[in-house]
Amino acid sequence: MIMKKFVLFIFLIMSAVFGMQLKADEVTFKASAPPAVVMGSQFKVEFVANVHNATDLRLPPVLTENFDLLMGPSVATSRSMSFVNGKSTSSVATTYTCIMMPKKEGTFELEPATIKIGNSEYKSNSLTIKVLPQDQASQAQGGGAQPQQPQGGGANDQAASSNISGENIFIRMIVSDRSVYEQEGFLVTFKLYSLLDLVNIDNAKFPEFEGFLAQDVELNDRQLVLENYNGRNYQTLLLKQTVLYPQRSGKIEIGKGMVRAIIRVRSQERRRSFFDSFFDYQDVAKELLSQPVTIDVKPLPSGKPASFSGAVGNYTMSSTINRTELKANEAVTVKLTIKGNGNIKLIKNPEVKFPNDFEIYDPKVDPNIHVSAAGASGTKTIEYMAIPRYAGDFEIPAIDFSYFDTKTGAYKTLSTEPYKLHVEKGEEGSEAPVISNFTNRENVKFLGKDIHYIKVNQVHFVSNKEIFFGSFLYVMAYLMITVLFIVFFIIYRKQVKENSNIALVRTRKANKTAVKRLKQAEKLLKENKDEAFYEEVLRALWGYLSDKLNMPQSELTKENVAAELTRYGVDETLSGEFLEIINTCEFARYAPIRTSETMDKLFAETIGAIGKMESTIKK
């Protein structure tokens, strides 16, 4: 009697613990089924809820209409409890299992199943099931015949490998589109097909995709999936998926891919006793090669808009400004968001034309890009910050962004609204850097110390009886003041003239700006941040050329740069060096193999090329 009470007490405690845990946990209801099945074969569909009191399961109508229910739904409930660091956790699962058989071929989208828990109804996730036709070889042999297993030759693995037919196991390179525009993304998939018992794969080697910029698709859950190909039902495995962007027009070949497959085959040795299997098995390695593919890359059509900088795909653009009324020396920020699908990671920042009296800073770029089998998509947010130094009414004109739409085969231009700014005079006590452009629009402020050090060295006193007026020192002082005034006036006029020429100022500061960016690139080189290093070198080169040639970065193209350098008298060898470094950076950011030696060499070549350019173009 005491024992029964004790067992009942333990049961009540466990029920209370399970009940409290279930109240704390969120109710989940999940459905699972194989993604592909063969016509005439049975398969299992399961629905799992993390509660014990689920009732009234209702199957999706598409499932019951297109599949025969051979058994079920059978119900099973399981419980588990664990103690970790003195804390107890428990879980419960109710599983509904259905054995199904397809009635016809096709792809079927199953809407969610439903259950009731108390007075609430819960839905599962939806499913997609593809019903494949029966294997042609199986039909010819009268039903469920399996592909003939190759026989191994004992210790001779090479002979066993040669017995494996290329129809039973192979890899394919699947290209989503073989005729594309320059910079238009397309998907390349390497997939393994097998009718045999696949044990493992290794030594995978894929092409380097020369002539393309490559972005790999992350494959998280790789598993064998049934697929019907040329009348046979193969177990398939995704090996690699990459989105490629061609960098030049013409015929470009993608080389072969290779992988080594480990296959389990039957050996010819007979059983040694009644208890041994009739055949022994051995693992055989076989190298599999995909066939190369040629891509026809079409050049982008003529008639490119002025604001086109290489964007290809489908995009939208929006902009915001943080304020339209502010005081002098306060910052204004224009935020531009480009969203879409295409070579979004490679597009250049659109140009924002701030008024001349604004101090402009380098834009801050925040990319949020996801690469999938559908291509690269996401957003690129660019923040442009500037500081007005003088009061007045100004306008930031509309920002234009052009791209080539591959669906319509035409260029499209997106524009933002212009922004009008009202800038009031800054407060007299506010601290700001001294900006002098020799105008009277606002008084220049001096930031310094208003109390200077007291003179502490030896002091020389002059008697007030000495007459200075009319003396030699008096005349010389006047002459010196006159000469200094004339020199200062000449320097003043020359500086005013030079400062009014913004293009000349940018040209003279081009080298200094490039050196600053290359110092950051050198730091990234030492930290082995290869992709960031190449991006910083590329920014330094484009920025240097923009300042040196007095061209907005949005208008810089390789063709424009080559033509402009020729106009400045730069020889073709030096122009070729610059363009080669730019091409190397663009390719290296996405190249699969990078070495520190290559990065060191590129850094040295960049410094040398800028030095030669400074000696050639002198302003």
Side-chain angles (χ1 to χ4, degrees):
M1 186 66 180
I2 296 175
M3 189 63 181
K4 289 182 179 179
K5 290 183 178 179
F6 179 74
V7 172
L8 180 61
F9 176 72
I10 295 297
F11 176 77
L12 291 175
I13 291 177
M14 292 183 66
S15 298
V17 171
F18 276 115
M20 288 186 292
Q21 184 68 31
L22 289 175
K23 288 180 181 178
D25 292 341
E26 183 181 357
V27 174
T28 60
F29 182 40
K30 297 180 180 180
S32 62
V37 297
V38 179
M39 187 67 187
S41 63
Q42 300 178 12
F43 66 98
K44 181 168 61 176
V45 181
E46 288 186 336
F47 302 92
V48 180
N50 65 337
V51 293
H52 67 282
N53 58 340
T55 59
D56 195 17
L57 170 68
R58 296 193 179 186
L59 300 177
V62 176
L63 182 66
T64 55
E65 291 170 3
N66 298 282
F67 300 85
D68 288 325
L69 180 61
L70 303 181
M71 187 185 75
S74 58
V75 185
T77 302
S78 61
R79 299 176 184 269
S80 64
M81 178 179 289
S82 62
F83 293 89
V84 179
N85 297 329
K87 295 183 179 180
S88 63
T89 58
S90 61
S91 62
V92 62
T94 301
T95 304
Y96 299 85
T97 305
C98 302
I99 305 299
M100 314 294 297
M101 178 179 287
K103 296 179 182 180
K104 57 183 178 181
E105 301 172 13
T107 301
F108 302 95
E109 302 287 341
L110 275 60
E111 59 268 32
T114 61
I115 57 171
K116 284 188 177 180
I117 302 174
N119 295 326
S120 301
E121 184 178 83
Y122 293 87
K123 292 184 177 181
S124 71
N125 53 292
S126 57
L127 294 173
T128 300
I129 301 177
K130 188 174 184 178
V131 180
L132 307 176
Q134 287 189 348
D135 194 292
Q136 288 181 358
S138 299
Q139 289 179 332
Q141 297 176 13
Q146 295 296 324
Q148 184 177 357
Q149 284 280 352
Q151 294 184 351
N156 192 347
D157 289 348
Q158 185 174 359
S161 176
S162 63
N163 291 333
I164 299 174
S165 170
E167 296 181 358
N168 288 338
I169 185 168
F170 55 90
I171 60 174
R172 292 176 61 210
M173 176 170 37
I174 306 167
V175 178
S176 63
D177 195 346
R178 299 196 181 194
S179 178
V180 296
Y181 283 101
E182 189 177 348
Q183 291 291 349
E184 178 184 0
F186 63 96
L187 181 69
V188 175
T189 302
F190 291 88
K191 185 183 288 188
L192 183 144
Y193 292 74
S194 177
L195 295 172
L196 307 177
D197 187 6
L198 184 65
V199 178
N200 193 16
I201 57 171
D202 57 15
N203 291 349
K205 296 180 181 178
F206 299 104
E208 295 186 1
F209 305 118
E210 184 178 353
F212 300 90
L213 290 181
Q215 291 182 278
D216 288 338
V217 178
E218 186 175 356
L219 301 177
N220 296 321
D221 186 18
R222 295 201 296 178
Q223 57 182 351
L224 290 171
V225 178
L226 270 177
E227 181 178 325
N228 188 275
Y229 177 69
N230 287 344
R232 305 298 304 273
N233 291 322
Y234 291 89
Q235 292 284 354
T236 65
L237 180 67
L238 279 178
L239 302 175
K240 182 182 181 68
Q241 281 190 318
T242 304
V243 180
L244 298 182
Y245 299 92
Q247 298 301 294
R248 56 181 171 85
S249 58
K251 304 286 186 181
I252 307 180
E253 183 180 83
I254 303 177
K256 299 178 180 180
M258 189 199 77
V259 70
R260 188 178 74 160
I262 310 298
I263 308 158
R264 184 155 294 166
V265 300
R266 297 184 304 193
S267 67
Q268 294 179 337
E269 297 179 1
R270 295 283 181 166
R271 57 182 178 176
R272 293 182 297 273
S273 68
F274 178 80
F275 298 99
D276 291 338
S277 61
F278 189 77
F279 289 101
D280 288 331
Y281 291 84
Q282 68 181 73
D283 293 343
V284 176
K286 184 175 179 64
E287 287 191 351
L288 308 174
L289 293 173
S290 66
Q291 295 299 316
V293 173
T294 300
I295 306 298
D296 181 19
V297 182
K298 298 173 288 187
L300 293 176
S302 58
K304 298 175 183 177
S307 57
F308 178 76
S309 59
V312 175
N314 188 18
Y315 299 99
T316 60
M317 182 177 67
S318 61
S319 70
T320 58
I321 190 168
N322 65 334
R323 62 176 81 180
T324 56
E325 295 185 0
L326 64 160
K327 294 181 179 180
N329 302 321
E330 292 180 348
V332 60
T333 302
V334 175
K335 182 183 290 186
L336 197 67
T337 302
I338 299 174
K339 181 179 181 182
N341 182 287
N343 60 342
I344 185 169
K345 190 173 183 179
L346 309 178
I347 60 178
K348 296 179 182 178
N349 301 332
E351 182 186 12
V352 178
K353 297 179 180 178
F354 288 99
N356 293 332
D357 296 324
F358 283 44
E359 184 176 342
I360 305 171
Y361 295 84
D362 287 340
K364 175 185 175 184
V365 182
D366 181 20
N368 183 13
I369 301 168
H370 175 67
V371 182
S372 67
S377 60
T379 59
K380 192 172 185 179
T381 304
I382 312 156
E383 292 187 10
Y384 302 84
M385 189 179 76
I387 298 178
R389 293 304 183 187
Y390 306 101
D393 291 320
F394 304 93
E395 180 179 88
I396 302 175
I399 306 167
D400 292 334
F401 170 71
S402 296
Y403 67 95
F404 180 74
D405 190 345
T406 55
K407 293 182 179 179
T408 61
Y411 294 99
K412 294 184 178 179
T413 300
L414 306 174
S415 298
T416 65
E417 59 178 319
Y419 294 110
K420 295 185 181 296
L421 300 181
H422 176 68
V423 181
E424 297 180 353
K425 188 174 180 180
E427 298 177 3
E428 292 296 330
S430 62
E431 294 187 358
V434 176
I435 303 293
S436 176
N437 64 352
F438 304 98
T439 63
N440 294 324
R441 285 177 293 183
E442 184 176 4
N443 294 332
V444 177
K445 298 174 184 176
F446 174 76
L447 299 181
K449 297 183 179 296
D450 56 349
I451 301 178
H452 298 273
Y453 289 106
I454 299 174
K455 193 171 184 178
V456 293
N457 57 345
Q458 186 177 1
V459 181
H460 173 68
F461 295 97
V462 179
S463 172
N464 57 1
K465 295 181 180 180
E466 297 179 3
I467 300 175
F468 178 71
F469 181 77
S471 65
F472 176 76
L473 290 177
Y474 177 81
V475 175
M476 288 300 297
Y478 263 97
L479 288 175
M480 288 295 297
I481 292 173
T482 304
V483 171
L484 289 175
F485 175 78
I486 294 172
V487 172
F488 174 77
F489 182 76
I490 294 172
I491 296 174
Y492 172 84
R493 292 297 301 271
K494 183 180 179 182
Q495 191 172 0
V496 168
K497 185 177 180 180
E498 290 179 352
N499 284 0
S500 63
N501 189 345
I502 298 176
L504 182 61
V505 174
R506 287 184 62 190
T507 301
R508 289 185 171 179
K509 292 184 178 180
N511 185 47
K512 181 185 286 187
T513 305
V515 168
K516 288 182 180 179
R517 288 173 173 166
L518 287 175
K519 286 183 179 179
Q520 176 64 20
E522 185 179 16
K523 180 181 178 183
L524 296 171
L525 174 63
K526 293 178 181 179
E527 295 174 357
N528 290 325
K529 296 181 178 178
D530 45 7
E531 184 173 347
F533 165 77
Y534 286 117
E535 288 182 355
E536 194 64 32
V537 173
L538 200 57
R539 284 184 61 198
L541 285 175
W542 282 119
Y544 174 78
L545 291 172
S546 174
D547 293 338
K548 199 69 178 176
L549 304 179
N550 191 27
M551 294 175 64
Q553 289 199 24
S554 60
E555 296 180 6
L556 285 179
T557 64
K558 295 173 186 176
E559 295 78 8
N560 292 348
V561 167
E564 196 69 14
L565 289 176
T566 302
R567 191 174 71 84
Y568 276 90
V570 178
D571 57 48
E572 294 183 1
T573 303
L574 183 55
S575 298
E577 283 187 43
F578 265 86
L579 297 178
E580 183 63 27
I581 294 172
I582 290 172
N583 288 333
T584 302
C585 290
E586 289 179 344
F587 280 103
R589 287 187 302 168
Y590 303 97
I593 300 176
R594 305 168 184 138
T595 61
S596 58
E597 293 82 2
T598 303
M599 294 163 66
D600 290 334
K601 181 180 177 183
L602 179 72
F603 184 74
E605 290 176 351
T606 304
I607 294 176
I610 291 177
K612 294 177 185 177
M613 189 67 74
E614 285 295 305
S615 301
T616 304
I617 303 178
K618 296 182 178 180
K619 283 194 174 183

